[in-house]
Amino acid sequence: MARSPWAHRDFRLLLAGSATVSFVMPMQFLTQIFWVQDRFPERDVLYVGLVAASRGSAMLLFGLVGGAFADRFERRRVLLGCQVASLAIGAGVAALMIAEPLGGANIGILLLLTFAQAGTMAVDQPARTAATPAIVGMESLSSAITWQMVAQQVTFPIALPLVGFLNSIVEPGTVYLFTLSAWLVILPLIAMLRFRSVGTANRSVSMLGNIREGLAYTRRDATLFGVIALVVVLQVVGMAGPATLGPVWMLKVLGLSTTQFGFMAMTWGLGTSVASFFYVWQKNLPAQGQTLCTAVLLFALFAVVFAHSRLAPLTAIANFGLGFALVGTMVSSSTIVQRTVSDEMRGRVMGLFPLTQGLSMLSGLPASVAGQAYGLPVVFPILAWTTLAAAAMIILRRPSLRVVGRSQPATSAVSGGD
């Protein structure tokens, strides 16, 4: 019988650190948005879009680099280096927001710092996920990944009202400075980790060569390629409507008030939370390809309902379903990839996940332009039906996806320590 991931000391430390990071990151991002809106009210929409684009472009660029780092170096040290860099960059952001030394040029510096900080996140994520099997072993991997998702989904809704409250009583720069106290927890947790997981990438070639090897490896493996393709479709096409432009849709198309929008947004968070605990309970489901296929198709179907609904209760149900299906997709895709990929390529393949998140952030721009030109009631159904058609085509053309995990025995644990 597989040990619970909670039995591993290093997993508890890693999970606590991940939960703290998941708690503080949305607080920092939203505080930046509040600062931009307060300091540049005439151009706040443009500048907020640029802040999001800087985050997305950094994750797009550094996701692959981070995967190569995770496969070339000791992963615990990569995590520690990323968090030290993140603290230093965060201190620069806080100083900029408080001192405002350059007037109108401050926004340019903020974009550069935001790009750098998102880059450290993109490097951190593949090392963090690639280290998990070394800590808990393959038998407990599905449960470990699901608990990591639980930590993200539980901390996120707590962070949102707190950051709103703090920014209502003090200046955004002060709030941002306060968020840096989280690293008093994050850095010691990483420093206390005992496991050693050294990437085994071919060091006789350059970093770029390692990245090309990882991409070629993913392309050759039918299962890996199919999983990543489904995630790309969901993130780039599916999320552009309900997630990126959902707030505008609810306010302008459905005619909700800001208070009603807040309650509607909670249904997505409720769906993600319920899904997280569901997969903790049904811990064998995430390793099965049928779970991934079902989750992606459900996301697309709920996106279709969302796009055609003009009734708030029906939209709330669709929003709940979207959150539930998103968690199912991310938990199952990560679990399947971790079980399929060789340890030599683990970081580089897992580095494709932050890359897809970066693409998701950037895809909001063309979707917004199309929505402005043709109207959201036209664009949303196109995005939803395209998601459904593309996902169905991938599943039909990659039959290996549907049989993953049916009778495959658990792989032995990767070397590591408790």
Side-chain angles (χ1 to χ4, degrees):
M1 179 180 293
R3 295 174 65 188
S4 166
W6 289 95
H8 299 267
R9 168 189 177 274
D10 278 357
F11 176 74
R12 297 193 297 270
L13 294 173
L14 189 68
L15 184 67
S18 298
T20 307
V21 171
S22 298
F23 178 78
V24 77
M25 285 302 171
M27 292 185 67
Q28 290 187 337
F29 178 66
L30 288 174
T31 298
Q32 287 179 309
I33 300 306
F34 292 142
W35 182 81
V36 168
Q37 290 177 323
D38 183 61
R39 298 301 189 272
F40 305 97
E42 324 83 27
R43 299 181 178 179
D44 60 337
V45 175
L46 172 63
Y47 287 168
V48 167
L50 288 175
V51 170
S54 68
R55 286 165 55 90
S57 58
M59 297 189 75
L60 180 64
L61 175 63
F62 287 101
L64 294 175
V65 175
F69 263 80
D71 284 341
R72 288 177 73 99
F73 304 110
E74 210 285 308
R75 288 158 181 164
R76 188 183 67 90
R77 293 183 179 180
V78 173
L79 293 178
L80 189 59
C82 285
Q83 293 307 319
V84 170
S86 185
L87 175 60
I89 296 167
V93 173
L96 176 74
M97 295 170 69
I98 293 172
E100 302 185 37
L102 301 176
N106 286 327
I107 186 64
I109 305 301
L110 179 66
L111 292 175
L112 290 174
L113 291 173
T114 300
F115 179 88
Q117 190 162 48
T120 66
M121 291 171 55
V123 174
D124 176 281
Q125 186 174 328
R128 191 176 295 271
T129 53
T132 303
I135 295 174
V136 304
M138 284 297 179
E139 292 86 351
S140 301
L141 181 61
S142 297
S143 181
I145 291 174
T146 306
W147 276 112
Q148 289 169 339
M149 183 63 70
V150 169
Q152 294 175 18
Q153 301 306 325
V154 169
T155 55
F156 187 77
I158 298 174
L160 296 183
L162 177 60
V163 71
F165 170 74
L166 291 175
N167 277 277
S168 69
I169 59 175
V170 296
E171 286 291 312
T174 304
V175 176
Y176 199 98
L177 182 63
F178 167 75
T179 65
L180 300 182
S181 62
W183 273 263
L184 296 175
V185 175
I186 295 169
L187 292 178
L189 287 171
I190 297 176
M192 287 190 292
L193 292 171
R194 295 173 182 166
F195 81 95
R196 293 295 182 270
S197 176
V198 181
T200 56
N202 181 10
R203 292 179 177 80
S204 65
V205 299
S206 66
M207 187 84 70
L208 184 59
N210 287 153
I211 292 173
R212 284 198 294 264
E213 289 174 347
L215 292 174
Y217 175 85
T218 304
R219 180 65 183 86
R220 288 193 303 269
D221 190 291
T223 299
L224 290 177
F225 187 79
V227 170
I228 297 300
L230 283 177
V231 173
V232 168
V233 167
L234 184 146
Q235 291 278 13
V236 177
V237 186
M239 294 282 280
T244 305
L245 297 175
V248 181
W249 174 273
M250 293 176 192
L251 294 174
K252 292 191 173 182
V253 177
L254 296 185
L256 302 183
S257 66
T258 53
T259 302
Q260 291 171 327
F261 163 73
F263 284 106
M264 183 68 75
M266 287 176 60
T267 60
W268 180 294
L270 183 60
T272 60
S273 298
V274 170
S276 298
F277 286 104
F278 172 77
Y279 286 108
V280 168
W281 174 46
Q282 296 290 336
K283 59 184 178 182
N284 293 324
L285 286 181
Q288 298 179 19
Q290 288 182 333
T291 301
L292 173 62
C293 296
T294 301
V296 176
L297 291 176
L298 280 176
F299 185 95
L301 289 171
F302 280 119
V304 169
V305 174
F306 188 100
H308 290 285
S309 171
R310 298 297 184 271
L311 301 174
L314 183 59
T315 301
I317 294 172
N319 216 34
F320 176 93
L322 287 166
F324 189 98
L326 175 64
V327 169
T329 300
M330 300 316 296
V331 170
S332 57
S333 61
S334 182
T335 301
I336 292 169
V337 168
Q338 289 271 39
R339 285 177 172 266
T340 304
V341 70
S342 68
D343 191 56
E344 178 186 358
M345 294 289 179
R346 192 177 304 279
R348 279 166 283 180
V349 178
M350 296 308 298
L352 294 173
F353 284 90
L355 182 145
T356 63
Q357 293 169 9
L359 285 172
S360 178
M361 295 177 188
L362 292 176
S363 68
L365 181 59
S368 299
V369 172
Q372 187 70 44
Y374 303 106
L376 294 181
V378 174
V379 173
F380 267 47
I382 292 175
L383 290 172
W385 285 105
T386 301
T387 303
L388 181 60
M393 183 179 67
I394 293 170
I395 292 169
L396 289 174
R397 296 188 64 178
R398 299 279 172 174
S400 60
L401 283 174
R402 302 193 296 273
V403 300
V404 171
R406 283 186 180 177
S407 58
Q408 180 176 318
T411 307
S412 59
V414 181
S415 60
D418 291 351

